[in-house]
Amino acid sequence: MTDALEQLPSTPCLDPHTLARSLSGAHFIGGRLVPSRSGRGFPVVNPATGAEIAQAADGDAGDVELAVANAAEAQKGWSQIPARKRGMLVHQAAQLIRDHVEELARLVALETGKALRTESRVEAGNVADIFEFFGGLAGEIKGETVPFGPDVLNITVREPLGVVGAIIPWNIPMMLMALKAAPALVAGNSIVVKSAEEAPLAVLRIVELMNRVLPPGIFNILSGQGPECGAPLVEHPLVKKVTFTGSVETGRIIYKAAAEKLIPVTLELGGKSPMIVFADCDFEKTVQGALTSMRFTRQGQSCTAASRIFVERSIHDRFVEEMARRVDAMVMGDPLDEKTDIGTIISPAQFDKVAGFIEEGKATAGAQGRACARMPADAALRKGLFIQPHIFTGLSKDSRLVREEIFGPVTVIFPFDDADQVLADANDTEFGLAASVWTNNLKIAMRFAHRIEAGLVQINQNLVVQPNLSYGGVKASGLGKEASLESMLEHFTHKKTIMVNMA
């Protein structure tokens, strides 16, 4: 069992299978790779082949206690380091991530089934960018001078919260960990991350690499199941903030547990994002934008996926045909193959869920479901969790495919005639994470941008989360913001008022 930094390669390892095995069975606590206290593990499986690639440490409350105790002790010293120096150390650690981008891309492709060229390499590059971005913001952790009286000096200062507990999902695990860890660390907190059961390896490697620069104990990571590992982390008395990305159901459980302790939370809980297409749009750009918006290269496993597309009737049929043609041209295959556009679903459970939605849609009277792109022909991939992208038309607006988050390569397209009605339809959802509007009429675009109930609205584009753009939803899509200076100041520090009587 690994228990020291020296047992992992310091130079990039481009064989993801070898690296996966070397990361087996370990948490990272207090500056060291350590086994779970119980000695138990659970398999990490390549979803493209069904083969086990590693064993992850199966953490429980004992591992949480060890990690949080280390984090709490380390945070005392970390918080006393000047903010700009903390930022410099985080930025320096980010350089190691940048040096290991290809290694991390291959490893996350292996464990998640995301295509290397179209998804995993992009995510790995974004991770370094996020840590560098927040490292450069350290000097913005500052207070105010507030007028009170001629003989009273009244100032505010920003102070860290303490130990942050972060629980991350499997769809873009490295990037979402960075969006939580980077601002928390730069603000002077320590952090304990609980990785997703399906994708614990690449994030573990990132923590191990960054600990080659950062003081031991401030950046820790555990793997394990939600009830046995995640719940004790949320409930631990020394955890002073929880940040979570995942399902609405789990988010509500975490929110209730945090409320018992009266600690702040940041929750990003998914979406059912509308894409609204007007007839005056740039047609070619918009159709291509639909492919990007649906995150087909990630098999639709994205909170911001445009799973409800509303197209003005005069171009609806043409739009559907052209979109289907372009998705048909995408290549499904081995995630590590440079030719592959689309990889796999993450797990058998998610596969069954998505397949169930597709079958329900096909069985609906009046609906048409078009399967696009060819399944892989390689015999080695026959056990892989591949699902063809599906485009549905003819569904009613109360269909489960329209109301519920599928988190798979399934989108539903509707024609519309009336602008006010399509706006009402776009807002007719419990979610409010993201939306996009496609038109060359700026007046209509801005009208819709203001009236759509979503935390992020893009016009004539639908980019993934970007550093320096405030990101977070409304309604059931969550609480709080990520990816910006605002997220660091408002969600990872508290403001203290200091008054000095000089009379």
Side-chain angles (χ1 to χ4, degrees):
M1 183 64 65
T2 54
D3 63 0
L5 282 176
E6 289 72 23
Q7 291 183 276
L8 282 177
S10 58
T11 56
C13 175
L14 299 185
D15 179 356
H17 292 89
T18 297
L19 185 57
R21 289 191 296 271
S22 70
L23 290 164
S24 275
H27 304 304
F28 198 97
I29 300 173
R32 295 171 68 83
L33 287 161
V34 298
S36 63
R37 292 168 66 89
S38 68
R40 294 191 300 268
F42 59 90
V44 183
V45 175
N46 176 1
T49 64
E52 181 177 319
I53 57 172
Q55 282 276 318
D58 197 0
D60 58 21
D63 300 289
V64 170
E65 179 61 41
L66 180 62
V68 173
N70 271 271
E73 184 61 30
Q75 194 269 336
K76 297 174 185 176
W78 180 245
S79 67
Q80 297 305 305
I81 296 174
R84 286 193 65 199
K85 185 173 181 181
R86 289 198 303 263
M88 289 170 60
L89 287 170
V90 169
H91 195 283
Q92 183 182 344
Q95 299 310 301
L96 281 176
I97 306 304
R98 195 164 294 285
D99 293 342
H100 288 254
V101 162
E102 185 63 20
E103 169 198 278
L104 292 168
R106 291 173 178 272
L107 184 57
V108 84
L110 180 67
E111 66 178 331
T112 66
K114 295 194 307 180
L116 175 64
R117 175 177 54 81
T118 58
E119 283 290 333
S120 296
R121 198 173 281 137
V122 175
E123 182 189 354
N126 285 341
V127 170
D129 191 25
I130 290 165
F131 280 108
E132 289 169 353
F133 168 74
F134 279 104
L137 288 180
E140 297 302 313
I141 304 173
K142 52 195 178 187
E144 307 156 320
T145 301
V146 183
F148 185 82
D151 296 322
V152 177
L153 174 64
N154 185 24
I155 64 172
T156 66
V157 294
R158 292 271 182 185
E159 295 184 344
L161 302 175
V163 179
V164 173
I167 301 176
I168 59 175
W170 43 257
N171 59 328
I172 40 173
M174 301 186 296
M175 183 172 167
L176 290 174
M177 183 178 75
L179 287 173
K180 300 176 189 311
L185 293 172
V186 172
N189 305 283
S190 58
I191 189 165
V192 178
V193 178
K194 206 290 279 186
S195 60
E197 297 91 319
E198 299 87 352
L201 301 177
V203 288
L204 174 62
R205 176 60 161 166
I206 288 172
V207 175
E208 184 271 317
L209 287 170
M210 293 189 69
N211 267 269
R212 296 173 185 263
V213 174
L214 301 176
I218 65 161
F219 197 0
N220 312 272
I221 190 166
L222 305 169
S223 52
Q225 311 302 312
E228 291 76 23
C229 189
L233 178 62
V234 174
E235 295 164 2
H236 196 288
L238 292 180
V239 171
K240 302 302 183 183
K241 156 83 183 190
V242 174
T243 174
F244 167 78
T245 298
S247 71
V248 175
E249 293 77 12
T250 304
R252 288 186 173 123
I253 293 170
I254 289 172
Y255 199 15
K256 290 176 183 177
E260 289 293 323
K261 296 166 57 181
L262 295 177
I263 63 170
V265 296
T266 301
L267 303 174
E268 198 272 274
L269 305 180
K272 195 69 179 173
S273 301
M275 175 179 180
I276 302 172
V277 179
F278 286 89
D280 70 340
C281 69
D282 181 327
F283 186 83
E284 295 298 317
K285 177 181 177 181
T286 304
V287 173
Q288 188 60 41
L291 272 62
T292 303
S293 297
M294 244 314 290
R295 315 290 187 242
F296 279 126
T297 55
R298 201 186 301 164
Q299 278 285 55
Q301 297 173 137
S302 169
C303 301
T304 58
S307 52
R308 296 182 299 145
I309 302 178
F310 301 90
V311 183
E312 197 162 6
R313 190 175 300 275
S314 63
I315 63 168
H316 172 270
D317 292 351
R318 178 184 169 210
F319 185 93
V320 172
E321 291 300 318
E322 182 59 18
M323 183 175 173
R325 186 188 70 80
R326 295 192 190 192
V327 181
D328 258 336
M330 299 175 79
V331 176
M332 299 178 67
D334 181 354
L336 289 165
D337 189 332
E338 295 285 353
K339 297 177 183 177
T340 297
D341 297 305
I342 301 173
T344 73
I345 299 293
I346 185 69
S347 68
Q350 186 65 17
F351 181 94
D352 291 343
K353 175 187 173 184
V354 175
F357 273 106
I358 291 172
E359 290 308 310
E360 182 175 327
K362 288 181 176 179
T364 301
Q368 299 83 43
R370 297 182 59 158
C372 304
R374 295 181 180 178
M375 292 288 284
D378 188 343
L381 303 178
R382 285 177 183 167
K383 294 182 180 180
L385 303 176
F386 294 92
I387 286 184
Q388 289 175 281
H390 276 70
I391 299 172
F392 278 92
T393 56
L395 286 170
S396 69
K397 292 170 186 176
D398 60 356
S399 165
R400 280 204 322 133
L401 280 74
V402 179
R403 309 300 302 178
E404 299 181 21
E405 186 175 37
I406 300 172
F407 226 64
V410 181
T411 191
V412 181
I413 303 181
F414 296 97
F416 75 88
D417 301 293
D418 180 79
D420 288 333
Q421 183 60 53
V422 77
L423 182 62
D425 290 339
N427 288 335
D428 184 19
T429 174
E430 66 172 329
F431 296 105
L433 183 59
S436 63
V437 182
W438 301 74
T439 176
N440 284 319
N441 186 320
L442 182 60
K443 181 178 178 180
I444 289 177
M446 293 306 298
R447 174 186 169 221
F448 269 63
H450 284 294
R451 294 179 63 186
I452 288 175
E453 296 167 355
L456 172 63
V457 180
Q458 300 186 58
I459 297 170
N460 295 331
Q461 66 175 28
N462 194 352
L463 303 176
V464 297
V465 183
Q466 304 288 315
N468 206 31
L469 295 179
S470 184
Y471 174 73
V474 298
K475 301 195 288 191
S477 286
L479 300 168
K481 297 293 182 180
E482 294 186 309
S484 63
L485 173 62
E486 170 195 9
S487 71
M488 180 169 69
L489 296 181
E490 297 301 325
H491 302 314
F492 294 103
T493 72
H494 70 85
K495 184 184 285 189
K496 176 185 284 184
T497 299
I498 301 173
M499 301 181 73
V500 183
N501 189 323
M502 300 185 297

